[in-house]
Amino acid sequence: MIKARVLTIPILCAVLGGSLLGAEARWEDNEYWYNLVESGDRSSFALILYSKRLQTLAEAAIVEAVRLDAQEAPQREAGLQQKKEEESRLLLERARSVNKPNFRP
């Protein structure tokens, strides 16, 4: 027996028949999107809720993150190059300190 609680809120319902990323049905109101999706093995369903306000904030944060990544890329690259050069220098110094006592010109 399947038990469900029915919510009575004014929503727009569009049956999509699986055309929207595996969604069987989608409901929408002013604040949220509700997607009913079928599992991969088609044995169960899941109801996925999206907050429109949070979705807008997340999209803005992604755009800002991409912008900052592009802006900081040259500095990161220079830092990585500097780190490699320092590691190489330290490796050569260690090898020199190990080999110096045994060196006879």
Side-chain angles (χ1 to χ4, degrees):
M1 175 183 265
I2 298 175
K3 294 183 182 180
R5 191 171 68 181
V6 178
L7 301 175
T8 55
I9 55 174
I11 54 176
L12 172 65
C13 176
V15 177
L16 301 172
S19 62
L20 180 68
L21 300 174
E24 294 297 324
R26 179 177 179 185
W27 299 268
E28 183 176 339
D29 64 13
N30 290 336
E31 295 180 48
Y32 301 99
W33 288 300
Y34 310 89
N35 291 315
L36 180 67
V37 295
E38 194 171 18
S39 67
D41 61 0
R42 300 188 180 272
S43 65
S44 61
F45 291 90
L47 184 62
I48 302 171
L49 308 172
Y50 295 95
S51 168
K52 290 181 179 181
R53 183 181 64 81
L54 293 178
Q55 181 71 22
T56 302
L57 292 173
E59 288 172 359
I62 290 169
V63 168
E64 179 67 9
V66 168
R67 185 189 70 78
L68 288 174
D69 279 347
Q71 180 181 350
E72 295 169 355
Q75 292 172 331
R76 271 195 313 273
E77 185 63 34
L80 286 174
Q81 183 64 31
Q82 210 171 25
K83 184 179 176 183
K84 285 180 184 178
E85 290 171 0
E86 181 66 20
E87 287 174 355
S88 177
R89 187 187 62 77
L90 288 173
L91 231 151
L92 288 173
E93 281 183 16
R94 277 191 221 126
R96 182 175 181 216
S97 66
V98 168
N99 292 330
K100 191 174 182 180
N102 299 329
F103 181 74
R104 293 193 185 114

PDB file of all heavy atoms in Angstrom, residues 14-27:
ATOM      1  N   ALA A  14       2.450  20.017 -15.424  1.00  0.00           N
ATOM      2  CA  ALA A  14       2.671  19.654 -16.820  1.00  0.00           C
ATOM      3  C   ALA A  14       3.229  18.245 -16.852  1.00  0.00           C
ATOM      4  O   ALA A  14       4.291  17.989 -16.319  1.00  0.00           O
ATOM      5  CB  ALA A  14       3.641  20.624 -17.471  1.00  0.00           C
ATOM      6  N   VAL A  15       2.515  17.332 -17.434  1.00  0.00           N
ATOM      7  CA  VAL A  15       3.004  15.966 -17.546  1.00  0.00           C
ATOM      8  C   VAL A  15       3.945  15.928 -18.731  1.00  0.00           C
ATOM      9  O   VAL A  15       3.581  16.295 -19.843  1.00  0.00           O
ATOM     10  CB  VAL A  15       1.848  14.969 -17.732  1.00  0.00           C
ATOM     11  CG1 VAL A  15       2.375  13.567 -17.930  1.00  0.00           C
ATOM     12  CG2 VAL A  15       0.917  15.041 -16.534  1.00  0.00           C
ATOM     13  N   LEU A  16       5.172  15.525 -18.495  1.00  0.00           N
ATOM     14  CA  LEU A  16       6.194  15.620 -19.517  1.00  0.00           C
ATOM     15  C   LEU A  16       6.576  14.270 -20.117  1.00  0.00           C
ATOM     16  O   LEU A  16       7.353  14.217 -21.048  1.00  0.00           O
ATOM     17  CB  LEU A  16       7.438  16.302 -18.933  1.00  0.00           C
ATOM     18  CG  LEU A  16       7.177  17.704 -18.406  1.00  0.00           C
ATOM     19  CD1 LEU A  16       8.394  18.218 -17.668  1.00  0.00           C
ATOM     20  CD2 LEU A  16       6.817  18.637 -19.535  1.00  0.00           C
ATOM     21  N   GLY A  17       6.130  13.191 -19.557  1.00  0.00           N
ATOM     22  CA  GLY A  17       6.391  11.880 -20.132  1.00  0.00           C
ATOM     23  C   GLY A  17       7.857  11.535 -20.273  1.00  0.00           C
ATOM     24  O   GLY A  17       8.259  10.883 -21.223  1.00  0.00           O
ATOM     25  N   GLY A  18       8.695  11.986 -19.354  1.00  0.00           N
ATOM     26  CA  GLY A  18      10.103  11.618 -19.372  1.00  0.00           C
ATOM     27  C   GLY A  18      10.975  12.461 -20.283  1.00  0.00           C
ATOM     28  O   GLY A  18      12.147  12.187 -20.434  1.00  0.00           O
ATOM     29  N   SER A  19      10.435  13.502 -20.888  1.00  0.00           N
ATOM     30  CA  SER A  19      11.243  14.282 -21.826  1.00  0.00           C
ATOM     31  C   SER A  19      12.180  15.267 -21.133  1.00  0.00           C
ATOM     32  O   SER A  19      13.112  15.743 -21.742  1.00  0.00           O
ATOM     33  CB  SER A  19      10.336  15.039 -22.795  1.00  0.00           C
ATOM     34  OG  SER A  19       9.535  15.947 -22.077  1.00  0.00           O
ATOM     35  N   LEU A  20      11.958  15.586 -19.881  1.00  0.00           N
ATOM     36  CA  LEU A  20      12.796  16.546 -19.169  1.00  0.00           C
ATOM     37  C   LEU A  20      13.734  15.818 -18.224  1.00  0.00           C
ATOM     38  O   LEU A  20      13.405  15.569 -17.081  1.00  0.00           O
ATOM     39  CB  LEU A  20      11.938  17.550 -18.398  1.00  0.00           C
ATOM     40  CG  LEU A  20      12.694  18.614 -17.611  1.00  0.00           C
ATOM     41  CD1 LEU A  20      13.409  19.565 -18.566  1.00  0.00           C
ATOM     42  CD2 LEU A  20      11.763  19.376 -16.725  1.00  0.00           C
ATOM     43  N   LEU A  21      14.895  15.419 -18.701  1.00  0.00           N
ATOM     44  CA  LEU A  21      15.910  14.766 -17.885  1.00  0.00           C
ATOM     45  C   LEU A  21      15.344  13.622 -17.058  1.00  0.00           C
ATOM     46  O   LEU A  21      15.618  13.484 -15.882  1.00  0.00           O
ATOM     47  CB  LEU A  21      16.599  15.784 -16.967  1.00  0.00           C
ATOM     48  CG  LEU A  21      17.316  16.927 -17.653  1.00  0.00           C
ATOM     49  CD1 LEU A  21      17.825  17.925 -16.631  1.00  0.00           C
ATOM     50  CD2 LEU A  21      18.471  16.419 -18.501  1.00  0.00           C
ATOM     51  N   GLY A  22      14.513  12.794 -17.651  1.00  0.00           N
ATOM     52  CA  GLY A  22      13.961  11.652 -16.952  1.00  0.00           C
ATOM     53  C   GLY A  22      12.789  11.999 -16.061  1.00  0.00           C
ATOM     54  O   GLY A  22      12.301  11.144 -15.339  1.00  0.00           O
ATOM     55  N   ALA A  23      12.325  13.240 -16.093  1.00  0.00           N
ATOM     56  CA  ALA A  23      11.207  13.631 -15.243  1.00  0.00           C
ATOM     57  C   ALA A  23       9.913  13.059 -15.807  1.00  0.00           C
ATOM     58  O   ALA A  23       9.673  13.089 -17.005  1.00  0.00           O
ATOM     59  CB  ALA A  23      11.113  15.144 -15.149  1.00  0.00           C
ATOM     60  N   GLU A  24       9.106  12.522 -14.927  1.00  0.00           N
ATOM     61  CA  GLU A  24       7.797  12.018 -15.322  1.00  0.00           C
ATOM     62  C   GLU A  24       6.760  13.130 -15.273  1.00  0.00           C
ATOM     63  O   GLU A  24       5.844  13.161 -16.073  1.00  0.00           O
ATOM     64  CB  GLU A  24       7.381  10.866 -14.400  1.00  0.00           C
ATOM     65  CG  GLU A  24       8.254   9.645 -14.521  1.00  0.00           C
ATOM     66  CD  GLU A  24       8.199   9.008 -15.904  1.00  0.00           C
ATOM     67  OE1 GLU A  24       7.125   9.001 -16.527  1.00  0.00           O
ATOM     68  OE2 GLU A  24       9.242   8.528 -16.353  1.00  0.00           O
ATOM     69  N   ALA A  25       6.909  14.009 -14.288  1.00  0.00           N
ATOM     70  CA  ALA A  25       5.984  15.123 -14.150  1.00  0.00           C
ATOM     71  C   ALA A  25       6.705  16.277 -13.476  1.00  0.00           C
ATOM     72  O   ALA A  25       7.677  16.076 -12.750  1.00  0.00           O
ATOM     73  CB  ALA A  25       4.773  14.709 -13.319  1.00  0.00           C
ATOM     74  N   ARG A  26       6.209  17.482 -13.734  1.00  0.00           N
ATOM     75  CA  ARG A  26       6.819  18.671 -13.135  1.00  0.00           C
ATOM     76  C   ARG A  26       5.717  19.622 -12.702  1.00  0.00           C
ATOM     77  O   ARG A  26       4.764  19.865 -13.443  1.00  0.00           O
ATOM     78  CB  ARG A  26       7.725  19.358 -14.150  1.00  0.00           C
ATOM     79  CG  ARG A  26       8.366  20.597 -13.594  1.00  0.00           C
ATOM     80  CD  ARG A  26       9.297  21.205 -14.582  1.00  0.00           C
ATOM     81  NE  ARG A  26       9.855  22.404 -13.989  1.00  0.00           N
ATOM     82  CZ  ARG A  26      10.631  23.238 -14.614  1.00  0.00           C
ATOM     83  NH1 ARG A  26      10.963  23.004 -15.861  1.00  0.00           N
ATOM     84  NH2 ARG A  26      11.087  24.304 -14.011  1.00  0.00           N
ATOM     85  N   TRP A  27       5.848  20.143 -11.481  1.00  0.00           N
ATOM     86  CA  TRP A  27       4.944  21.131 -10.955  1.00  0.00           C
ATOM     87  C   TRP A  27       5.761  22.357 -10.604  1.00  0.00           C
ATOM     88  O   TRP A  27       6.927  22.252 -10.273  1.00  0.00           O
ATOM     89  CB  TRP A  27       4.244  20.624  -9.690  1.00  0.00           C
ATOM     90  CG  TRP A  27       3.418  19.413  -9.906  1.00  0.00           C
ATOM     91  CD1 TRP A  27       2.090  19.373 -10.215  1.00  0.00           C
ATOM     92  CD2 TRP A  27       3.848  18.053  -9.815  1.00  0.00           C
ATOM     93  NE1 TRP A  27       1.674  18.065 -10.320  1.00  0.00           N
ATOM     94  CE2 TRP A  27       2.740  17.239 -10.079  1.00  0.00           C
ATOM     95  CE3 TRP A  27       5.072  17.439  -9.545  1.00  0.00           C
ATOM     96  CZ2 TRP A  27       2.804  15.861 -10.074  1.00  0.00           C
ATOM     97  CZ3 TRP A  27       5.147  16.062  -9.538  1.00  0.00           C
ATOM     98  CH2 TRP A  27       4.023  15.285  -9.800  1.00  0.00           C
TER      99      TRP A  27
END
